[in-house]
């Protein structure tokens, strides 16, 4: 029975998708739930599994083709068995048999190199654990990812690393003194560029700054971190403090939690916070819903789950929809100070930065304290400077007195 394989239903905000990679070819056997291809949208890479066991009978669109929601992209013959490849090996063996009889018997030393050559022809690779784009690039170019130096987060190997290695443009491989390569933007990178330009050109954006003494937060993490991990199975990080502080402050400063819709301003009575996560394809912002109702453990677990899904290509489109406010942490990369860009239709974004010990005056004494600069970029059409400054001061007061968050103050 012929089964049509269709593009998954795409949300209204995503009009089409591009076939990034086929993992099977026509005539191959497929198993139910086995990933057949990767679809790249403006926001995420979607895996399309086989709905049945059988044989991939026909592929209607090649890699790089643009397809729409519910469009038929392949046909699977349910229950069919793939045809066996012609047995060419025995014939080849019989053809060389006479020569083998004439040749002198091979010694153990003469025969030893043969297995080594065979092994070299099919090296074991670690390509299966790569993100979809990097895995496809490695498999098509015959590159073993274990031999590639990764430039992604925590040394992860990216698609660009594979491409550069295969073309001889990384250290250890011969290449020109001034190499160049023109690579088309991915759909996600194009979408990021479009949104950033839209934000720059359509928003009256301004950034306010403050600094926070994180000594009390660090002391709380040190005192309670071990017990927290035992009780909840997740580490107590800095992000939960900032997310909870932001949720509390957004409830007290509703203009910062607003969004613009045409000539209207929508004031949200809930706080859905987008958390910026870096991947090898670009920055994505999955959304934590109703953070004002969440505890620290729920926040930490939600962020950890999203970070893992983002780097493994497992984010769903609905994970990226909505959001009333964004938090981005450039401090993980060592950023001391920056002006983050607002993510429309949101009206504000909070930027975290690296923690540095700096001299400050406390009770008339100069002491060294773990300080962080924080930045709030905001849409001045909706948020006045007073609201922005008071919001940052609210964040600062909560983080310097973290017990206030536990009391909802």
């Amino acid at each position: 029975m012929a089964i049509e394989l269709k593009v998954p239903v795409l949300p209204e905000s995503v009009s089409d998708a591009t076939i990034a990679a086929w993992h099977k070819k026509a005539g191959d056997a497929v198993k139910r739930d086995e990933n057949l291809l990767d679809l790249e949208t403006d926001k995420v890479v979607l895996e399309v599994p086989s709905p049945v066991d059988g044989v991939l009978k026909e592929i209607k669109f090649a890699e790089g083709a643009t397809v729409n929601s519910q469009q038929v992209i392949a046909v699977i013959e349910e229950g069919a068995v793939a045809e066996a490849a012609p047995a060419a090996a025995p014939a080849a063996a019989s053809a060389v048999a006479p020569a083998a009889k004439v040749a002198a018997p091979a010694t153990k030393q003469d025969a030893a190199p043969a297995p080594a050559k065979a092994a070299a022809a099919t090296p074991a690779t670690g390509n299966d654990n790569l993100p979809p784009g990097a895995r496809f690039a490695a498999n098509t170019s015959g590159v073993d990812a274990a031999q590639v130096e990764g430039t992604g987060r925590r040394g992860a190997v990216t698609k660009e690393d594979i491409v550069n290695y295969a073309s001889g443009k990384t250290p250890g491989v011969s290449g020109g003194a001034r190499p160049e390569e023109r690579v088309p933007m991915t759909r996600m990178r194009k979408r990021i560029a479009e949104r950033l330009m839209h934000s720059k050109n359509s928003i009256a954006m301004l950034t306010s700054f403050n600094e926070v003494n994180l000594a009390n937060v660090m002391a709380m993490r040190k005192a309670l971190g071990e017990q927290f991990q035992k009780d909840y199975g997740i580490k107590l990080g800095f992000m939960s403090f900032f997310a909870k502080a932001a949720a509390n402050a957004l409830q007290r400063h509703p203009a910062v939690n607003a969004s613009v819709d045409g000539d209207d301003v929508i004031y949200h009575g809930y706080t859905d916070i987008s958390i910026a996560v870096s991947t090898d394809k670009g920055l994505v912002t999955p959304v934590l819903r109703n953070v004002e109702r969440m505890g620290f453990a729920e926040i930490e677990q939600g962020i950890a789950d999203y970070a893992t899904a983002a780097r493994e290509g497992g984010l769903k489109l609905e994970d990226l929809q909505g959001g009333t406010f964004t938090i981005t942490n450039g401090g993980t990369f060592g950023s001391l100070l920056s002006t983050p860009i607002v993510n429309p239709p949101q009206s504000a974004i909070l930027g975290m930065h690296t923690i540095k010990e700096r001299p400050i005056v406390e009770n008339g004494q100069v002491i060294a304290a773990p300080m962080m600069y924080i930045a709030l970029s905001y849409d001045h059409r909706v948020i006045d400077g007073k609201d922005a400054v008071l919001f940052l001061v609210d964040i600062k007061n909560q983080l310097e007195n973290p017990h206030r968050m536990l009391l909802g103050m």
Side-chain angles (χ1 to χ4, degrees):
M1 178 180 177
I3 303 295
E4 293 182 336
L5 182 69
K6 296 181 179 181
V7 176
V9 176
L10 302 175
E12 293 181 3
S13 60
V14 178
S15 58
D16 53 38
T18 300
I19 298 178
W22 276 102
H23 300 296
K24 293 288 185 177
K25 61 182 183 296
D28 284 354
V30 298
K31 293 186 178 296
R32 182 183 177 88
D33 296 329
E34 181 180 12
N35 182 32
L36 301 184
L37 72 154
D38 298 326
L39 286 176
E40 185 177 18
T41 71
D42 297 340
K43 299 180 179 180
V44 294
V45 175
L46 301 175
E47 294 185 347
V48 182
S50 172
V52 295
D53 293 339
V55 172
L56 185 59
K57 183 179 179 181
E58 180 184 1
I59 293 177
K60 293 183 176 292
F61 294 93
E63 292 177 1
T66 300
V67 292
N68 299 312
S69 179
Q70 291 295 282
Q71 189 169 8
V72 178
I73 50 178
V75 177
I76 300 172
E77 191 67 34
E78 184 178 7
V81 178
E83 294 182 5
S94 61
V96 300
K101 291 179 181 179
V102 176
T107 64
K108 291 183 179 180
Q109 290 82 356
D110 294 333
K117 291 181 180 178
T122 55
T125 69
N127 297 347
D128 291 342
N129 296 325
L130 297 175
R135 183 172 65 243
F136 174 72
N139 292 339
T140 54
S141 58
V143 168
D144 180 1
Q147 306 302 318
V148 180
E149 182 178 355
T151 60
R153 184 177 175 83
R154 296 179 182 175
V157 176
T158 68
K159 177 182 177 181
E160 288 75 16
D161 295 332
I162 297 292
V163 171
N164 289 337
Y165 182 89
S167 58
K169 297 176 181 176
T170 52
V173 181
S174 59
R178 293 165 56 84
E180 287 185 349
E181 183 178 9
R182 185 183 297 271
V183 179
M185 279 190 181
T186 63
R187 287 179 62 106
M188 187 182 295
R189 177 57 62 186
K190 286 181 182 178
R191 183 59 174 164
I192 291 172
E194 290 171 2
R195 291 184 65 83
L196 291 178
M197 289 304 299
H198 171 71
S199 178
K200 176 180 179 294
N201 295 330
S202 64
I203 290 179
M205 191 159 56
L206 188 64
T207 304
S208 292
F209 302 93
N210 212 316
E211 61 178 354
V212 180
N213 182 348
L214 292 173
N216 289 334
V217 169
M218 296 178 78
M220 182 177 287
R221 291 181 68 232
K222 184 177 181 179
L224 303 176
E226 185 176 346
Q227 188 62 46
F228 184 92
Q229 187 166 8
K230 286 182 180 178
D231 290 347
Y232 299 109
I234 188 77
K235 287 185 178 180
L236 178 61
F238 286 102
M239 187 61 81
S240 55
F241 286 90
F242 278 83
K244 194 62 180 177
N248 293 339
L250 289 168
Q251 296 286 294
R252 292 188 281 266
H253 304 277
V256 184
N257 197 39
S259 60
V260 177
D261 184 14
D263 293 330
D264 299 327
V265 178
I266 302 174
Y267 294 93
H268 305 286
Y270 51 88
T271 55
D272 288 355
I273 298 182
S274 304
I275 305 294
V277 178
S278 177
T279 73
D280 63 332
K281 288 181 174 292
L283 197 69
V284 292
T285 52
V287 182
L288 288 176
R289 316 280 176 183
N290 297 112
V291 180
E292 76 281 1
R293 303 179 190 172
M294 299 174 71
F296 279 59
E298 292 176 285
I299 295 172
E300 290 290 355
Q301 189 63 61
I303 293 172
D305 290 345
Y306 275 148
T308 300
R311 293 176 188 121
E312 294 179 353
L315 279 179
K316 301 176 182 178
L317 288 169
E318 53 265 30
D319 296 334
L320 305 172
Q321 303 296 317
T324 63
F325 183 78
T326 296
I327 298 177
T328 181
N329 185 7
T332 57
F333 305 105
S335 172
L336 182 64
L337 194 62
S338 68
T339 56
I341 297 179
V342 175
N343 182 23
Q346 297 175 18
S347 296
I349 178 172
L350 178 68
M352 300 167 56
H353 300 91
T354 192
I355 300 171
K356 291 285 188 182
E357 276 206 346
R358 294 198 297 273
I360 65 167
V361 178
E362 188 174 277
N363 298 324
Q365 300 293 321
V366 177
I367 63 170
M371 304 297 293
M372 176 192 285
Y373 290 118
I374 55 175
L376 182 76
S377 292
Y378 58 96
D379 188 345
H380 215 331
R381 298 175 302 168
V382 180
I383 304 171
D384 292 333
K386 173 187 173 183
D387 292 321
V389 171
L390 290 178
F391 177 84
L392 274 182
V393 170
D394 194 333
I395 296 283
K396 173 184 172 70
N397 289 338
Q398 290 185 74
L399 293 171
E400 292 186 347
N401 304 277
H403 55 279
R404 295 173 65 97
M405 285 186 279
L406 301 179
L407 300 177
M409 300 174 64

